[in-house]
Amino acid sequence: MQKNGYSFLTIKEASSMMAGTLLFEGLDNNISSVSIDSRKISKGALFFALKGEKADGHSFIKNAVSGGAVCCVVEKNHSALLEFSNDPGFSVIAVDDTLKALQTLAKNYRSKFKNISIIGITGSSGKTTTKELLAAILEKDAPTVMNEGNLNSETGLPLAVFNIRDNHKYGVFELGINHPGEMDVLVDILRPDYAILTNIGTAHIGLMGSKEKIAQEKMKIFHTHNNFKEGIVYEKDDYAKIIKDKYSSKMDYFGLDSQKDYLSYEDNGLDGNIIFLGKEKIIFSLIGRHNLSNAAAAIKMARILNISDLKIKNGIEKVASFFGRGEIFSGNITIIFDAYNSNKESVKAIVDFTSKLSWEGRKIILLGSILEMGDKSEDIHNSIINYAFKNFDGALFFFGNEFEKSFKNMEKAEKFVFWSPDFEEMKDALLAYLKEGDLIVLKGSRGMALERFLEIIKKNNRMVVNC
């Protein structure tokens, strides 16, 4: 759902732009937002009745109308139309496929804006942080729009696009994929002028099939439409040279090596990093070398867009950690909560960071399962256990069924290691082990809901600061 505001489309315009048939026309012809969730409807909304795996949006048309929707987009010949055929009291647009209609409307709406520079960002990890950093930088130069939260999918991106307005000079949008062909859809909607590929890892490999197929899909963000100007890819990615060779003059690298002539840093531990950009000293609050890579991507793109180093500094210093992405909670026990998402590469990054971190007390890592790995799950979880075991000297807790076989096959450890798929058992073991002065990292897939452990630790220990 989009923010309330002035009408940015009329119902007749919307119907024409999505090649729909306006069956019924209500008194109010102005659209101020677009929604696919009847629970989040605001006055003036255009509601798309999408068919999902668990629910059919056509069943919630009444809820949408009572919430303030002025128009509903429905599929032709759907039984829901019969209920409103006499006097609907609101506008109804009929289409062949409501999802495709949503995407078509977003594509045509985006095409109205000729003076905005759109930057698309994708990657297996780091795309949200890179988006937040780049948007904060560009906002220092001119009005900027970005997709909020996780509006980066084939349903989320179209909704985010409807937030573009005439005063926006920049748009920063992340594009997330989990199945083949999805990037084609997203690129066709957004038509980015510039693009960033943060990395190619193993996220969603169970649905995508292989890392090579992930690479083939993600590199489509560097599309061949006429408006595309330039893209950047992480310098040390396994597929970086292949991508650079394919797109030649429209492609460049980003990274601490590629940008070393004007970019350097100092690791500041739990306080983040200090970045030296030209003559500017930037206090960067996000922890770890992986976040430095995200910052390097944002800085590189900002310089491509001719943003001054001072504006880059002011934008980066505005960004703080956000839910599940390197949040730090300080108290008798210090917690690093990095469990919004997870993949093999990001787990190794947090293990490396924690291992090298200077800390007077004990260090503990709790790793939750990585989901959507398909038939690669066993190999990936085995790789994670082996990497953590060899590269981390502190205590290790493994939470989730996916770790079972690898844990049981692990060589006998001198350090403390524990595995359980059961939340209560893990909670009890964790609370029995933790003591004042400890540092614990919580890392895992969002579906593992590791915030449950976060709240339990906070409740049982006097927390003093949320950094």
Side-chain angles (χ1 to χ4, degrees), residues 116-359:
I116 187 172
S117 291
I118 297 285
I119 303 95
I121 302 174
T122 195
S124 295
S125 57
K127 55 185 175 292
T128 299
T129 301
T130 303
K131 175 198 71 178
E132 296 284 342
L133 288 167
L134 182 57
I137 292 168
L138 297 179
E139 187 64 43
K140 295 297 180 181
D141 185 68
T144 301
V145 60
M146 69 174 181
N147 43 359
E148 298 179 359
N150 60 350
L151 293 179
N152 63 6
S153 65
E154 61 184 5
T155 55
L157 181 67
L159 295 176
V161 163
F162 293 121
N163 283 323
I164 299 174
R165 297 291 182 266
D166 289 327
N167 68 316
H168 289 135
K169 182 178 180 181
Y170 306 107
V172 185
F173 296 89
E174 65 173 281
L175 286 69
I177 61 169
N178 63 15
H179 61 265
E182 192 169 9
M183 187 61 78
D184 294 299
V185 174
L186 300 182
V187 165
D188 191 49
I189 293 168
L190 190 63
R191 301 287 177 96
D193 303 282
Y194 303 88
I196 301 172
L197 204 169
T198 60
N199 50 62
I200 296 167
T202 55
H204 308 297
I205 196 168
L207 298 171
M208 297 295 294
S210 68
K211 191 172 178 180
E212 183 178 6
K213 289 182 179 178
I214 293 172
Q216 290 172 351
E217 190 70 18
K218 286 189 178 295
M219 71 172 69
K220 291 176 183 176
I221 195 170
F222 307 119
H223 60 85
T224 56
H225 298 300
N226 292 334
N227 65 301
F228 188 70
K229 296 180 176 66
E230 189 169 353
I232 56 175
V233 62
Y234 178 51
E235 61 192 4
K236 295 183 179 179
D237 192 272
D238 291 342
Y239 294 86
K241 188 177 186 306
I242 295 172
I243 294 171
K244 179 74 165 63
D245 290 345
K246 181 175 181 178
Y247 296 98
S248 60
S249 62
K250 289 190 174 184
M251 187 62 53
D252 202 354
Y253 298 130
F254 75 86
L256 297 174
D257 290 341
S258 301
Q259 296 164 255
K260 64 183 179 181
D261 58 330
Y262 61 85
L263 187 65
S264 61
Y265 76 99
E266 288 181 5
D267 187 340
N268 210 18
L270 292 183
D271 291 324
N273 294 276
I274 298 172
I275 297 175
F276 300 95
L277 173 64
K279 297 180 180 180
E280 302 294 343
K281 178 181 178 181
I282 304 172
I283 306 303
F284 181 42
S285 65
L286 304 189
I287 63 172
R289 191 178 176 89
H290 55 292
N291 276 317
L292 281 170
S293 179
N294 298 331
I299 290 168
K300 178 80 171 188
M301 184 54 67
R303 281 194 152 205
I304 289 171
L305 294 168
N306 296 315
I307 307 300
S308 71
D309 288 350
L310 179 59
K311 289 178 180 178
I312 292 174
K313 166 187 166 68
N314 291 337
I316 288 177
E317 290 189 338
K318 178 184 174 184
V319 176
S321 62
F322 30 95
F323 176 77
R325 292 183 171 92
E327 286 183 289
I328 299 172
F329 299 86
S330 299
N332 291 343
I333 294 172
T334 298
I335 309 166
I336 300 177
F337 182 58
D338 196 56
Y340 182 83
N341 211 338
S342 187
N343 55 50
K344 182 175 72 174
E345 294 76 21
S346 63
V347 169
K348 289 181 177 180
I350 201 70
V351 168
D352 290 343
F353 170 78
T354 311
S355 179
K356 296 173 183 176
L357 181 68
S358 178
W359 187 257

Side-chain angles (χ1 to χ4, degrees), residues 347-348 351 367 378-392 396 398 403 405-407 409-411 415:
V347 169
K348 289 181 177 180
V351 168
L367 295 176
E378 184 177 322
D379 288 342
I380 286 173
H381 285 88
N382 187 58
S383 171
I384 287 171
I385 277 190
N386 288 334
Y387 191 86
F389 184 78
K390 292 176 181 177
N391 293 279
F392 183 67
L396 291 166
F398 300 99
F403 283 114
K405 186 173 181 179
S406 297
F407 182 84
N409 291 334
M410 188 173 64
E411 61 184 275
K415 57 190 165 189

Side-chain angles (χ1 to χ4, degrees), residues 3-38:
K3 299 172 184 177
N4 290 334
Y6 65 89
S7 169
F8 61 91
L9 276 177
T10 67
I11 291 171
K12 288 183 178 179
E13 285 176 332
S15 180
S16 176
M17 290 167 71
M18 70 178 87
T21 301
L22 185 56
L23 297 181
F24 308 110
E25 189 171 0
L27 296 177
D28 192 341
N29 193 38
N30 296 313
I31 298 169
S32 60
S33 64
V34 179
S35 179
I36 61 173
D37 190 338
S38 64

